Amino acid sequence: MSNLLEVRHVTRKFGGLTANNNISFSVNENEILSVIGPNGAGKSTLFKMISSFLPTSSGEVLYRGERISNLKPHTVARMGVVRTFQETTIFKSMTVRESIVVAQHLRAKASLAGYFWGTKSAREDVESFGRYADDLIDFLGISAIRNELASNLPQGNLRALGLAIGLATDPKVLLLDEPFAGMNHDETMRMVQLVRKVRDDRGVTVLLVEHDMPAVMSISDRIIVLNFGEMIAEGTPTEIQNNQKVIEAYLGSADDEIGI
Amino acid sequence: MKRRHFLGASLLTAVLATTTSIALAENPVLKIGFVGVTSGPAAAWGISNQRSMETRAEWINETGGYTIGDTTYDIEIVSFDDQKDPKRAIAGMEKMAQEGIHYVVGPNVDDGAAAVRPVAEAKGIMYFPYAFPKELYTAPASNAVLGMVANYQSGPAIYKHLKEKEGVNTVAFIAANESDPLSQRDGGLAAAEALGLEVVSDNVTYQVDTTDFTPVLTPVIRTQPDLLVLSGVSPANAPQLIRSARELGFQGLISTETAQDATVLREGAGELANGFISVGGASTPEIASDAMKEFVERYTKMFGEYNDESNTKVYALEYILETLKANPSAIDNVKEFQSTMDTFEASNPYMKGDAKLRYVGTSSFGQKRQVAVPLVVNVYQDGEFKTLFVAEVD
Amino acid sequence: MPRLSMIQWTGLLVFLIAVFVLVPAYIAASGRTDFYYTLTSVALLSIASAGVWLTFYIGRINIGQGAFALIGAYVSAILVTKAGISFWLSLPLAGLFAALVSVLIGVPILRLRGVYFAMITLVLTQVVTLTALALPVTNGAKGITSIPLPGEISVFGLTVIPDFAGLENPRLAFYYTSCALMVLTFAAMYRLVNSRLGHLCRSMQQNEELASSIGVNIAYIRVIVFAISSFLGGIGGAMFGSIAQSVYPSSFQVTDSVNFMLNCFLGGLGYVFGPMLGTLVLYFGWDLLFELGRYQLLVYSGLLIILMLFLPNGLLSLRIRGKGVAGR
Amino acid sequence: MEQILANGIYLGAQYAMIALGLTLIFALMNVLNFAHGQMYVLGGFVTYTFYGQLGWPFVVALLASCVTLAVLGALIEKFLFAPVIRRSSREESTMLLAAGLAFFFDAIILLVFGEKQRGVPKIVNGVLNWDFRIIMPYDRILICFLAILSIVGFIVFMQYSKTGRALRALAQDRTAAQLMGVNVERYSMIGFAIGAMLAGLVGGLLVTITGVNLGMGGPTSIKAFMMVMIGGAGVISGAIAGGIILGFMEAIGLAVLSQYGDITYLLIFVSLMIFLAIRPQGLMGKPWG
């Protein structure tokens, strides 16, 4: 187990408001790590900084010792750190399979001009994209919606599509943004299985932001807790459940946030 | 649903098409073209053109047609709206060639006139643009005939008159930031300098769409010129420029070398426009013949309101027809027309006295490629133009 | 990489025959030679519109194509008249120069989306017009006139393209040239849209954030696409300059930029061939309504509104869904 | 200096009014109304007809302009924009419709009112001349005052009336407004009518000074777009700020750069482009509208 991803003293300010203050933690290879916290704790901001969708105000994020913060999202993705979005962020008028084919951009060997002229490597790429997309669809068990337009999919499937798009890039680290939000118990359990499978079968390290406590507790190897932009706890699910600071933080917030 | 609408539209189209081209009397038809701008911001230029042609054509047809050689023709005006777009102007000229037309009035602006030149020369069309670039009329260009007096011809005459009679010593120019006005400014500038006038301001320009001229004019007025020249000013901008200048306390003279409309000046600037000097055709009572009066009357009856700009623009059609009358073989041969131009002379029906229609331009272009519109310099006074002086161009 | 189906091959063949054989034959038979210029215009304007369509394809409303057309027209005119180089060489150079300018401008402005991008491109058209008026090399307000017609190209003494000035009917030559350029443009567009770049454009059009999360360098692709778009604008403008044999600051204006955009809307933003059809209908429609005289604009705009009301997704949306050319 | 200030305020006030209507329509329906300038021209011609031709009192003519445009705006929204927005897959399609409308209005104006520049008698005579430091005709001062008054009236209306609040809710978030029980269709129509009415009002006001002609529409629309962009699309205060800024830019630019005449506007446009490239949402707009 080595340090794959390292968050070092990361701070983000919006005007006078501090969304993240001096956050430091690391993610081990092949681990499932969750970031939790009440609404407005700064989870999303942290996520955006790790994937370089947002620059840090100070501090840095390292991946295998290389800085990945304050770059461009596509550069970070190229290095193998890929984020997913909540369900509204999809390619609306593409089918599931088309979306997955497009998402394999990083696996392409031919140049853009090569595709235009239809070179040999471009043709091979296209073929391999198709094969890989079909594999992925089978792997995720979503062959029933293979040719559905994304905009026609129900919520649960959208989450699977988001995961598929993320996986299509061949990531080393996958950042999942609230993968269980709005799901019922059965759907959540299926998704939990799927995320585990992604980690186990594909060796992807998973970092996720989530509200759903039971799911987080059952899936995570370790948990990071944020409150008001500060990191207040870090540990295994059991440690977190018994952490006095965490309980206080959650008790101080709205009822629906309490899931412990 | 869709189909029904389309049917409705095409039905409307058909009806309109038939009503606009009501069959004329049994005379053969001679088509004369017009390619110019009749919609959009500069519509006033082209519409005064088109309407004067239509008025004259209907007048001719009503009185039995126009006899050229042994044949009496009815005159039909074929108009094409180029939307002040040189690309459309080319299409318009092609359309004219298609209709078998050899004589076209227009376009109204420099870029359009330059763009149609290749078509006109290839298809044997004589055209009468209202654009001033000299290369349009100088050899090897052969088919364009300037339809009015260019500002580099009228400018010197006006400035000279004002210098001698009104004691003008300093002059300021202002122009819209557009091809035609800027070129006219440069022409006027050269003329003023040649006369020994002191030019105190010549680089202030305004956007064509300006609605408030006070900030534009302030620095110009500060130079206190004796004469303020509105180079190539459009009829829409003229009253506002005059009004702003006067309101800023400008006491000197204001002039332009383009044709204006008295009603527009009255409505837009009221008595502030008094003393404004512009160039016109021949509608001032001092020189307008009965034919001109009848023309104005007919125009007003047809279109509800006369446009003084048409004074100048009535001439092009008259020149075409008179020249054809002088040499009937030119009717479908512009080479004949061109050779007739050198010697052509007829009496000018629109002016009192013995004024002549003839082609000029030798000194400006080296060949006769300009109609001899009388250079009538008007001064606006209380809702109408009065003749300041009349001159000729050679 | 889609192969063309039998039906598509047939369609292409019919189109080529129509453009290069039937139309000239019809014109020769009917004597409507004015159609040459009108159709040449349609071809050239549709090339420029195709560029605009491409920027729509990455989700940008482009009202600045007139600027690049004007740049192209000037570059070609200046090269031909002042440097004395062949028009045929100046044509690609005009496109390349327009593309170069678009890269310089595109880097900062392509981050903008929606109406913001639309507005900045609208202003761009005016900037280029005013620059052309102010610069000495463009000859300011007086424009560049008397541009010679395209000369001949010969390879090993064999004339590939004849000297236009020596031709009996340069209009026909311009028609063939423009149509050939149009066919090339749209073939390339079709290919591009159905290749990986096209797929990436589509992904960006639908969601730029997601596209960048899967590793697409969206800034790069935006600039590439904008450059291609402006290249096409420059080519169209240069050809027009050569036909009119003159270029003025007003040769392409804001109105033209707006028209290019409207051509795309009318044809349909989801279809590669939309801009071609849109241009044909909008431009040719105006000419066909010429008979209406003073009612021309009224009927034209009325029809436009009715079309929009019933086919808001463009003329090509009449086609059966799913068979759209761009592969909706 | 004082003159520049006075010119700036006068220009700014009239520009702000033009931009207000445009931004309101944009905020409510995300429609970039290309026909806004034509609506303004139409307003001018209505006032011209009633005040200049028929000799009615100016205020009545001005009201007639407002009513005509409001009714027209409501009809256009209900029968044209609303159905097209419903049926179209991309909302930019309304741009074609708006452009078609602009052409259509141009055609109507040409057929009905003719091609000439029109003007009306001055409403007040005389020129204020403060020691040659500020020269400003009284009618401009009056119109400027009326314009500011209308802007204030509009803001008060949007802040405190029930309709105004509903419109603001709608502008902020269509779906949320619908959930809150705002009748979205009805208020879209009202909003469009008010936007058109503002165009008619400013057209009627300005006809007394600048006159009116059919060519003013397109350029006016473009200027209004620019102001809206400076301030931030769809933001009322932004439109006012944008109008005033553009007014001052013109007043200052023309005064300072007059000897370089040809490039004043070039500079204004270029600086506008640079400004937008750096701050795309304008002064007060939400990022990405």
CSV table of all heavy atoms in Angstrom, one decimal, chain C residues 56 61 111-112 115-116 119-120 126-127 130-131 205 254 262 265 298 301 308-309 312-313, chain D residues 26 87-90 92-93 96 103-104 107 222 225 229 266 269 273 277 280 286 288-289:
chain,number,residue,atom,x,y,z
C,56,PHE,N,-21.2,26.3,-34.3
C,56,PHE,CA,-22.4,25.9,-33.6
C,56,PHE,C,-22.3,24.5,-33.1
C,56,PHE,O,-22.8,24.1,-32.0
C,56,PHE,CB,-23.6,25.9,-34.6
C,56,PHE,CG,-24.4,27.2,-34.6
C,56,PHE,CD1,-24.4,28.0,-35.7
C,56,PHE,CD2,-25.1,27.6,-33.5
C,56,PHE,CE1,-25.1,29.2,-35.7
C,56,PHE,CE2,-25.8,28.8,-33.5
C,56,PHE,CZ,-25.8,29.6,-34.6
C,61,ILE,N,-22.4,30.3,-30.7
C,61,ILE,CA,-23.2,31.1,-31.7
C,61,ILE,C,-22.2,32.1,-32.3
C,61,ILE,O,-21.7,33.0,-31.6
C,61,ILE,CB,-24.3,31.8,-31.0
C,61,ILE,CG1,-25.2,30.9,-30.2
C,61,ILE,CG2,-25.1,32.6,-32.0
C,61,ILE,CD1,-26.2,31.6,-29.3
C,111,ARG,N,-13.4,31.0,-24.6
C,111,ARG,CA,-13.9,30.6,-23.2
C,111,ARG,C,-15.3,31.0,-23.0
C,111,ARG,O,-16.0,30.5,-22.2
C,111,ARG,CB,-13.0,31.2,-22.2
C,111,ARG,CG,-11.5,30.8,-22.2
C,111,ARG,CD,-10.8,31.4,-21.1
C,111,ARG,NE,-10.8,32.8,-21.2
C,111,ARG,CZ,-11.2,33.6,-20.2
C,111,ARG,NH1,-11.7,33.1,-19.1
C,111,ARG,NH2,-11.2,34.9,-20.3
C,112,LEU,N,-15.7,32.0,-23.7
C,112,LEU,CA,-17.1,32.5,-23.5
C,112,LEU,C,-18.1,31.6,-24.2
C,112,LEU,O,-17.9,30.9,-25.2
C,112,LEU,CB,-17.2,33.9,-24.2
C,112,LEU,CG,-16.7,35.1,-23.3
C,112,LEU,CD1,-15.3,35.0,-23.0
C,112,LEU,CD2,-17.0,36.4,-24.1
C,115,VAL,N,-24.8,33.7,-25.3
C,115,VAL,CA,-24.9,35.0,-25.9
C,115,VAL,C,-23.6,35.8,-25.8
C,115,VAL,O,-23.3,36.7,-26.6
C,115,VAL,CB,-26.0,35.9,-25.3
C,115,VAL,CG1,-27.3,35.4,-25.9
C,115,VAL,CG2,-26.0,35.8,-23.8
C,116,TYR,N,-22.8,35.5,-24.8
C,116,TYR,CA,-21.6,36.3,-24.6
C,116,TYR,C,-20.6,36.1,-25.8
C,116,TYR,O,-20.1,37.1,-26.3
C,116,TYR,CB,-20.9,35.9,-23.3
C,116,TYR,CG,-21.7,36.1,-22.1
C,116,TYR,CD1,-22.5,35.1,-21.5
C,116,TYR,CD2,-21.8,37.4,-21.5
C,116,TYR,CE1,-23.3,35.3,-20.4
C,116,TYR,CE2,-22.6,37.6,-20.4
C,116,TYR,CZ,-23.3,36.6,-19.9
C,116,TYR,OH,-24.1,36.8,-18.8
C,119,MET,N,-22.1,37.9,-28.8
C,119,MET,CA,-22.0,39.3,-28.9
C,119,MET,C,-20.6,39.7,-29.2
C,119,MET,O,-20.4,40.7,-30.0
C,119,MET,CB,-22.3,39.9,-27.5
C,119,MET,CG,-23.7,39.9,-27.1
C,119,MET,SD,-24.7,40.4,-28.5
C,119,MET,CE,-24.0,41.9,-28.9
C,120,ILE,N,-19.6,39.0,-28.7
C,120,ILE,CA,-18.2,39.4,-28.9
C,120,ILE,C,-17.9,39.2,-30.4
C,120,ILE,O,-17.1,40.0,-31.0
C,120,ILE,CB,-17.3,38.7,-28.0
C,120,ILE,CG1,-16.1,39.5,-27.6
C,120,ILE,CG2,-16.8,37.4,-28.5
C,120,ILE,CD1,-15.3,39.1,-26.4
C,126,GLN,N,-17.6,44.3,-36.7
C,126,GLN,CA,-17.5,45.8,-36.8
C,126,GLN,C,-16.0,46.2,-36.7
C,126,GLN,O,-15.6,47.1,-37.3
C,126,GLN,CB,-18.3,46.5,-35.7
C,126,GLN,CG,-19.8,46.2,-35.9
C,126,GLN,CD,-20.7,47.2,-35.3
C,126,GLN,OE1,-20.3,47.9,-34.3
C,126,GLN,NE2,-21.8,47.4,-35.9
C,127,VAL,N,-15.3,45.5,-35.8
C,127,VAL,CA,-13.9,45.9,-35.6
C,127,VAL,C,-13.1,45.7,-36.9
C,127,VAL,O,-12.4,46.6,-37.3
C,127,VAL,CB,-13.3,45.0,-34.5
C,127,VAL,CG1,-11.8,45.1,-34.5
C,127,VAL,CG2,-13.8,45.4,-33.1
C,130,LEU,N,-14.1,48.4,-39.4
C,130,LEU,CA,-13.5,49.7,-39.1
C,130,LEU,C,-12.0,49.7,-39.3
C,130,LEU,O,-11.4,50.7,-39.7
C,130,LEU,CB,-13.8,50.1,-37.6
C,130,LEU,CG,-15.3,50.5,-37.3
C,130,LEU,CD1,-15.5,50.7,-35.9
C,130,LEU,CD2,-15.6,51.7,-38.1
C,131,THR,N,-11.4,48.5,-39.0
C,131,THR,CA,-9.9,48.4,-39.2
C,131,THR,C,-9.6,48.6,-40.7
C,131,THR,O,-8.7,49.3,-41.1
C,131,THR,CB,-9.4,47.1,-38.7
C,131,THR,OG1,-9.9,46.9,-37.4
C,131,THR,CG2,-7.9,47.0,-38.7
C,205,GLN,N,-20.3,20.2,-27.3
C,205,GLN,CA,-21.6,20.9,-27.5
C,205,GLN,C,-22.5,20.6,-26.3
C,205,GLN,O,-23.3,21.4,-25.8
C,205,GLN,CB,-22.1,20.6,-28.8
C,205,GLN,CG,-23.5,21.2,-29.1
C,205,GLN,CD,-24.2,20.4,-30.2
C,205,GLN,OE1,-23.6,19.9,-31.1
C,205,GLN,NE2,-25.5,20.3,-30.1
C,254,VAL,N,-21.9,43.4,-40.7
C,254,VAL,CA,-22.7,42.7,-39.7
C,254,VAL,C,-23.8,41.9,-40.2
C,254,VAL,O,-24.1,40.8,-39.9
C,254,VAL,CB,-23.1,43.7,-38.6
C,254,VAL,CG1,-24.0,43.0,-37.6
C,254,VAL,CG2,-21.9,44.3,-37.9
C,262,LEU,N,-28.0,32.8,-39.8
C,262,LEU,CA,-29.4,32.4,-40.1
C,262,LEU,C,-29.4,31.3,-41.1
C,262,LEU,O,-30.3,30.4,-41.0
C,262,LEU,CB,-30.1,33.6,-40.7
C,262,LEU,CG,-30.3,34.8,-39.8
C,262,LEU,CD1,-31.1,35.9,-40.5
C,262,LEU,CD2,-30.9,34.4,-38.5
C,265,PHE,N,-29.3,28.2,-39.0
C,265,PHE,CA,-30.5,27.9,-38.3
C,265,PHE,C,-31.6,27.4,-39.3
C,265,PHE,O,-32.2,26.4,-38.9
C,265,PHE,CB,-31.1,29.3,-37.7
C,265,PHE,CG,-30.5,29.6,-36.4
C,265,PHE,CD1,-29.9,30.9,-36.2
C,265,PHE,CD2,-30.4,28.7,-35.4
C,265,PHE,CE1,-29.4,31.2,-35.0
C,265,PHE,CE2,-29.9,29.0,-34.2
C,265,PHE,CZ,-29.4,30.3,-34.0
C,298,LEU,N,-41.3,42.2,-47.4
C,298,LEU,CA,-42.5,41.8,-46.5
C,298,LEU,C,-42.7,40.3,-46.7
C,298,LEU,O,-42.8,39.5,-45.7
C,298,LEU,CB,-43.7,42.6,-46.9
C,298,LEU,CG,-44.9,42.4,-46.1
C,298,LEU,CD1,-44.7,43.1,-44.7
C,298,LEU,CD2,-46.2,43.0,-46.7
C,301,SER,N,-39.7,38.1,-45.3
C,301,SER,CA,-39.6,37.9,-43.9
C,301,SER,C,-40.8,37.2,-43.3
C,301,SER,O,-40.7,36.4,-42.4
C,301,SER,CB,-39.5,39.3,-43.2
C,301,SER,OG,-40.5,40.2,-43.7
C,308,MET,N,-40.1,29.3,-39.5
C,308,MET,CA,-39.5,29.2,-38.2
C,308,MET,C,-40.6,28.6,-37.2
C,308,MET,O,-40.3,27.8,-36.4
C,308,MET,CB,-39.1,30.6,-37.7
C,308,MET,CG,-38.0,30.5,-36.7
C,308,MET,SD,-36.6,29.6,-37.3
C,308,MET,CE,-36.2,28.7,-35.9
C,309,LEU,N,-41.8,29.1,-37.5
C,309,LEU,CA,-42.9,28.7,-36.6
C,309,LEU,C,-43.2,27.2,-36.7
C,309,LEU,O,-43.5,26.5,-35.7
C,309,LEU,CB,-44.1,29.5,-37.0
C,309,LEU,CG,-45.2,29.7,-35.9
C,309,LEU,CD1,-44.6,30.2,-34.6
C,309,LEU,CD2,-46.2,30.7,-36.4
C,312,PRO,N,-39.1,24.8,-36.4
C,312,PRO,CA,-38.1,25.6,-35.6
C,312,PRO,C,-36.7,24.9,-35.6
C,312,PRO,O,-35.7,25.5,-35.2
C,312,PRO,CB,-38.7,25.6,-34.2
C,312,PRO,CG,-39.7,24.6,-34.2
C,312,PRO,CD,-40.2,24.4,-35.6
C,313,ASN,N,-36.6,23.6,-35.9
C,313,ASN,CA,-35.3,22.9,-35.9
C,313,ASN,C,-34.7,22.9,-37.2
C,313,ASN,O,-33.8,22.1,-37.5
C,313,ASN,CB,-35.5,21.5,-35.3
C,313,ASN,CG,-35.9,21.6,-33.9
C,313,ASN,OD1,-35.5,22.5,-33.1
C,313,ASN,ND2,-36.8,20.7,-33.5
D,26,PHE,N,-34.6,39.2,-22.5
D,26,PHE,CA,-33.5,38.1,-22.4
D,26,PHE,C,-33.6,37.4,-21.1
D,26,PHE,O,-33.5,36.2,-21.1
D,26,PHE,CB,-32.1,38.8,-22.6
D,26,PHE,CG,-31.0,37.8,-22.6
D,26,PHE,CD1,-30.8,36.9,-23.6
D,26,PHE,CD2,-30.3,37.6,-21.4
D,26,PHE,CE1,-29.8,36.0,-23.6
D,26,PHE,CE2,-29.3,36.7,-21.4
D,26,PHE,CZ,-29.0,35.8,-22.4
D,87,ARG,N,-41.3,24.2,-29.3
D,87,ARG,CA,-41.0,23.2,-30.3
D,87,ARG,C,-39.6,23.0,-30.7
D,87,ARG,O,-39.2,22.0,-31.3
D,87,ARG,CB,-41.8,23.5,-31.6
D,87,ARG,CG,-43.2,23.3,-31.6
D,87,ARG,CD,-43.9,23.8,-32.8
D,87,ARG,NE,-45.2,24.2,-32.6
D,87,ARG,CZ,-45.9,25.1,-33.3
D,87,ARG,NH1,-45.4,25.6,-34.4
D,87,ARG,NH2,-47.2,25.4,-33.0
D,88,SER,N,-38.8,24.0,-30.4
D,88,SER,CA,-37.4,23.9,-30.8
D,88,SER,C,-36.5,23.1,-29.9
D,88,SER,O,-36.7,23.1,-28.7
D,88,SER,CB,-36.9,25.4,-30.9
D,88,SER,OG,-35.5,25.4,-31.0
D,89,SER,N,-35.6,22.4,-30.5
D,89,SER,CA,-34.7,21.6,-29.7
D,89,SER,C,-33.5,22.4,-29.1
D,89,SER,O,-33.0,22.1,-28.1
D,89,SER,CB,-34.1,20.4,-30.5
D,89,SER,OG,-33.4,20.9,-31.6
D,90,ARG,N,-33.2,23.5,-29.8
D,90,ARG,CA,-32.1,24.4,-29.3
D,90,ARG,C,-32.7,25.8,-29.1
D,90,ARG,O,-33.3,26.3,-30.1
D,90,ARG,CB,-30.9,24.4,-30.2
D,90,ARG,CG,-30.1,23.1,-30.1
D,90,ARG,CD,-29.0,23.1,-31.0
D,90,ARG,NE,-27.9,24.0,-30.6
D,90,ARG,CZ,-26.7,24.0,-31.1
D,90,ARG,NH1,-26.4,23.1,-32.0
D,90,ARG,NH2,-25.8,24.8,-30.7
D,92,GLU,N,-31.5,28.6,-29.2
D,92,GLU,CA,-30.9,29.6,-30.1
D,92,GLU,C,-31.8,29.8,-31.3
D,92,GLU,O,-31.7,30.9,-32.0
D,92,GLU,CB,-29.5,29.3,-30.5
D,92,GLU,CG,-28.5,29.2,-29.5
D,92,GLU,CD,-28.1,27.8,-29.1
D,92,GLU,OE1,-29.1,27.0,-29.0
D,92,GLU,OE2,-26.9,27.5,-29.1
D,93,SER,N,-32.6,28.8,-31.6
D,93,SER,CA,-33.4,29.0,-32.8
D,93,SER,C,-34.3,30.2,-32.8
D,93,SER,O,-34.7,30.7,-33.9
D,93,SER,CB,-34.4,27.8,-32.9
D,93,SER,OG,-33.6,26.6,-32.9
D,96,LEU,N,-33.3,33.2,-35.2
D,96,LEU,CA,-33.8,33.3,-36.5
D,96,LEU,C,-35.2,33.9,-36.6
D,96,LEU,O,-35.5,34.8,-37.4
D,96,LEU,CB,-33.9,31.9,-37.2
D,96,LEU,CG,-34.4,31.9,-38.6
D,96,LEU,CD1,-33.5,32.7,-39.5
D,96,LEU,CD2,-34.4,30.4,-39.1
D,103,PHE,N,-36.7,41.8,-39.9
D,103,PHE,CA,-36.9,42.1,-41.4
D,103,PHE,C,-38.4,42.5,-41.6
D,103,PHE,O,-38.7,43.4,-42.4
D,103,PHE,CB,-36.6,40.9,-42.2
D,103,PHE,CG,-35.2,40.5,-42.2
D,103,PHE,CD1,-34.8,39.1,-42.4
D,103,PHE,CD2,-34.2,41.4,-42.1
D,103,PHE,CE1,-33.5,38.8,-42.4
D,103,PHE,CE2,-32.8,41.0,-42.1
D,103,PHE,CZ,-32.5,39.7,-42.3
D,104,PHE,N,-39.3,41.8,-41.0
D,104,PHE,CA,-40.7,42.0,-41.2
D,104,PHE,C,-41.1,43.4,-40.8
D,104,PHE,O,-41.8,44.1,-41.5
D,104,PHE,CB,-41.5,41.0,-40.4
D,104,PHE,CG,-42.9,40.9,-40.7
D,104,PHE,CD1,-43.4,40.3,-41.9
D,104,PHE,CD2,-43.9,41.4,-39.9
D,104,PHE,CE1,-44.7,40.3,-42.3
D,104,PHE,CE2,-45.2,41.4,-40.2
D,104,PHE,CZ,-45.6,40.8,-41.4
D,107,ALA,N,-39.9,45.9,-43.2
D,107,ALA,CA,-40.7,46.0,-44.4
D,107,ALA,C,-42.0,46.8,-44.1
D,107,ALA,O,-42.4,47.6,-44.9
D,107,ALA,CB,-41.1,44.6,-44.9
D,222,ILE,N,-28.0,46.5,-32.1
D,222,ILE,CA,-26.6,46.1,-31.9
D,222,ILE,C,-26.1,46.9,-30.7
D,222,ILE,O,-25.4,46.4,-29.8
D,222,ILE,CB,-25.8,46.3,-33.2
D,222,ILE,CG1,-26.2,45.3,-34.2
D,222,ILE,CG2,-24.3,46.1,-32.9
D,222,ILE,CD1,-25.6,45.4,-35.5
D,225,PHE,N,-27.4,45.5,-27.6
D,225,PHE,CA,-26.7,44.3,-27.2
D,225,PHE,C,-25.4,44.6,-26.5
D,225,PHE,O,-25.1,44.0,-25.5
D,225,PHE,CB,-26.3,43.5,-28.5
D,225,PHE,CG,-27.5,42.9,-29.2
D,225,PHE,CD1,-27.4,42.5,-30.5
D,225,PHE,CD2,-28.7,42.7,-28.6
D,225,PHE,CE1,-28.5,42.0,-31.2
D,225,PHE,CE2,-29.8,42.2,-29.3
D,225,PHE,CZ,-29.7,41.9,-30.6
D,229,MET,N,-24.3,43.5,-22.8
D,229,MET,CA,-23.2,42.7,-22.5
D,229,MET,C,-22.2,43.4,-21.5
D,229,MET,O,-21.6,42.7,-20.6
D,229,MET,CB,-22.4,42.5,-23.8
D,229,MET,CG,-23.1,41.6,-24.7
D,229,MET,SD,-23.5,40.0,-23.9
D,229,MET,CE,-25.2,39.8,-24.4
D,266,LEU,N,-13.5,52.3,-33.2
D,266,LEU,CA,-12.6,51.1,-33.3
D,266,LEU,C,-12.1,50.8,-31.9
D,266,LEU,O,-12.2,49.7,-31.4
D,266,LEU,CB,-11.5,51.3,-34.2
D,266,LEU,CG,-10.6,50.1,-34.5
D,266,LEU,CD1,-11.4,49.0,-35.1
D,266,LEU,CD2,-9.5,50.5,-35.5
D,269,PHE,N,-14.9,49.6,-29.6
D,269,PHE,CA,-15.2,48.1,-29.8
D,269,PHE,C,-14.1,47.2,-29.3
D,269,PHE,O,-14.4,46.2,-28.7
D,269,PHE,CB,-15.4,47.9,-31.3
D,269,PHE,CG,-16.7,48.5,-31.8
D,269,PHE,CD1,-16.7,49.2,-33.0
D,269,PHE,CD2,-17.9,48.4,-31.1
D,269,PHE,CE1,-17.9,49.7,-33.5
D,269,PHE,CE2,-19.0,48.9,-31.5
D,269,PHE,CZ,-19.1,49.6,-32.8
D,273,MET,N,-14.3,44.3,-26.5
D,273,MET,CA,-14.0,42.9,-26.7
D,273,MET,C,-13.0,42.4,-25.7
D,273,MET,O,-13.1,41.3,-25.1
D,273,MET,CB,-13.3,42.7,-28.1
D,273,MET,CG,-14.3,42.6,-29.2
D,273,MET,SD,-13.6,42.2,-30.8
D,273,MET,CE,-13.0,40.5,-30.5
D,277,ALA,N,-13.7,39.6,-22.9
D,277,ALA,CA,-12.8,38.4,-22.9
D,277,ALA,C,-12.3,38.2,-21.5
D,277,ALA,O,-12.2,37.0,-21.1
D,277,ALA,CB,-11.6,38.6,-23.9
D,280,PRO,N,-16.3,37.8,-18.9
D,280,PRO,CA,-17.4,37.5,-19.9
D,280,PRO,C,-18.8,37.8,-19.3
D,280,PRO,O,-19.7,38.0,-20.1
D,280,PRO,CB,-17.2,36.0,-20.1
D,280,PRO,CG,-16.1,35.6,-19.3
D,280,PRO,CD,-15.5,36.7,-18.5
D,286,LYS,N,-24.4,37.0,-14.1
D,286,LYS,CA,-24.0,35.7,-13.6
D,286,LYS,C,-23.1,35.1,-14.6
D,286,LYS,O,-23.4,35.2,-15.8
D,286,LYS,CB,-25.3,34.8,-13.4
D,286,LYS,CG,-26.3,35.4,-12.4
D,286,LYS,CD,-27.6,34.7,-12.6
D,286,LYS,CE,-28.4,35.3,-13.7
D,286,LYS,NZ,-29.8,34.8,-13.8
D,288,TRP,N,-21.8,32.8,-17.3
D,288,TRP,CA,-22.4,31.9,-18.3
D,288,TRP,C,-23.9,32.2,-18.4
D,288,TRP,O,-24.7,31.3,-18.9
D,288,TRP,CB,-22.2,30.5,-18.1
D,288,TRP,CG,-20.8,30.2,-17.8
D,288,TRP,CD1,-20.3,29.4,-16.8
D,288,TRP,CD2,-19.6,30.6,-18.5
D,288,TRP,NE1,-19.0,29.3,-16.8
D,288,TRP,CE2,-18.5,30.1,-17.9
D,288,TRP,CE3,-19.4,31.4,-19.6
D,288,TRP,CZ2,-17.2,30.3,-18.3
D,288,TRP,CZ3,-18.1,31.6,-20.1
D,288,TRP,CH2,-17.0,31.1,-19.4
D,289,GLY,N,-24.5,33.3,-17.9
D,289,GLY,CA,-25.9,33.6,-18.1
D,289,GLY,C,-26.8,32.4,-17.8
D,289,GLY,O,-27.7,32.2,-18.5
